[in-house]
Amino acid sequence: MTETPSGSPSPPTDRVVAVVELLAADPLPLTVADITARLDLNRSTATAVLSALEATGWVRRDPGDRAYTLGPGLLGVAEAVHARAGAADTLVRELHDLAERVGCGVALSEIGSAQITFVAVAGGPDALPSGIAVGTRLPLRPPGGAAVMPWRPPADRESWLARAPRGGREELAELLVLAGATRVTLWRPTAEHGQLLAVLRDVVALLDAHPGRADLRSRVLDQLAVIGGQPYTKADLDDDQPLPLSYLSAPVFDSAGRPRHELQIGPLRAAVNRDERTWYIRELQAAAERIGGA
């Protein structure tokens, strides 16, 4: 059986989602044998899922080689998602322009109640973080979502902090106060995890070729976010000395003044002086305001 998240309320639904995501990710049609091998499903289960999806038009089977691709029945769903939450052309251009200006990867994520979903990604010299693509979902736990958490209800903030390692909760609580005042968070890599960070990035690259291990890939990405993000304090940032900088994040406020999204850039630099840090912050916040206004 395909691997599903621990405690999933509906493994059969997870299998349907896995089949659709696999067909969306692969540019070539896939046979039942391809799908069963890639998702660790038995043939009868895969056939039942594909039959149901074909009946709705969500997948299409070629009568010649009997391979499956996504079907036109998804067009209405795709258009609705694009209109409500997806990346419009202007948003994509904004992210690519920002990536070009700051010279690194850029990502826009929607911060839900339990998950972070990446809705737009613009490449740079380095990925942000490694393995992230549009549609990637991660559990909502520190450090993810820190830029929007100051504006969430107290119960949500407490739940978020409770998911952090016990020794780091006080530091993260102080970060939320700073983030609420400055509307930006800055992060550095943890020195003791530098080698592990490189290894996990390699693991993500390998798992990209095996969609059936989606849950394992999600857990690895989650760990990448944790060990790659140690928050800076105000005293740190007031220091004139160059500092290592992994990434910065800022809230994106919608027309109602709610920060539903987080914009992130990843310089991944070993030494960034104070003037450069100020410039990064200015570029990031200006882009977040333009995206929110759009």
Side-chain angles (χ1 to χ4, degrees):
M1 277 311 159
T2 190
E3 186 175 347
T4 56
S6 176
S8 173
S10 180
T13 304
D14 293 335
R15 296 179 193 119
V16 174
V17 172
V19 169
V20 173
E21 290 186 338
L22 174 60
L23 292 173
D26 200 306
L28 299 175
L30 299 176
T31 65
V32 175
D34 295 328
I35 293 167
T36 56
R38 300 271 289 274
L39 296 180
D40 297 331
L41 292 172
N42 62 53
R43 189 177 182 87
S44 62
T45 298
T47 300
V49 170
L50 289 164
S51 295
L53 290 172
E54 187 178 12
T56 63
W58 281 30
V59 303
R60 177 170 50 195
R61 184 178 59 172
D62 185 278
D65 58 14
R66 304 179 68 83
Y68 289 86
T69 59
L70 292 183
L74 280 171
L75 288 173
V77 177
E79 286 299 322
V81 172
H82 189 279
R84 298 175 187 176
D89 292 341
T90 53
L91 171 59
V92 172
R93 285 196 298 271
E94 182 66 56
L95 262 64
H96 280 281
D97 288 347
L98 177 61
E100 185 174 347
R101 289 195 302 274
V102 298
C104 63
V106 177
L108 179 70
S109 55
E110 182 178 76
I111 312 301
S113 59
Q115 284 189 328
I116 300 171
T117 303
F118 287 82
V119 297
V121 177
D126 297 290
L128 173 70
S130 178
I132 289 296
V134 173
T136 297
R137 298 185 300 274
L138 300 175
L140 177 59
R141 65 169 63 99
V148 307
M149 205 52 60
W151 292 272
R152 291 291 171 91
D156 290 355
R157 292 198 301 271
E158 290 301 319
S159 177
W160 182 82
L161 288 169
R163 300 187 188 109
R166 188 172 300 277
R169 292 176 188 173
E170 183 176 343
E171 182 181 40
L172 285 168
E174 294 174 0
L175 170 70
L176 295 187
V177 175
L178 179 63
T182 63
R183 296 194 176 190
V184 68
T185 61
L186 286 82
W187 307 84
R188 61 180 171 85
T190 52
E192 66 272 21
H193 288 137
Q195 186 174 2
L196 179 58
L197 194 65
V199 171
L200 289 178
R201 284 173 175 164
D202 289 343
V203 171
V204 169
L206 290 173
L207 290 174
D208 282 342
H210 298 280
R213 314 303 293 179
D215 183 56
L216 176 58
R217 183 177 181 276
S218 177
R219 297 205 308 270
V220 173
L221 285 171
D222 191 31
Q223 287 304 307
L224 269 172
V226 171
I227 69 176
Q230 189 74 18
Y232 275 117
T233 66
K234 186 176 186 304
D236 293 331
L237 299 174
D238 286 341
D239 194 330
D240 288 330
Q241 296 298 313
L243 300 171
L245 188 59
S246 53
Y247 63 93
L248 306 81
S249 56
V252 178
F253 292 85
D254 64 16
S255 58
R258 297 166 297 192
R260 295 179 179 269
H261 294 79
E262 183 176 88
L263 183 63
Q264 193 178 102
I265 62 176
L268 301 175
R269 291 176 53 189
V272 180
N273 64 41
R274 187 172 181 177
D275 288 343
E276 289 176 310
R277 295 194 298 268
T278 300
W279 177 75
Y280 277 131
I281 292 170
R282 185 171 62 248
E283 289 290 340
L284 175 66
Q285 291 181 326
E289 289 181 9
R290 289 191 294 270
I291 291 171

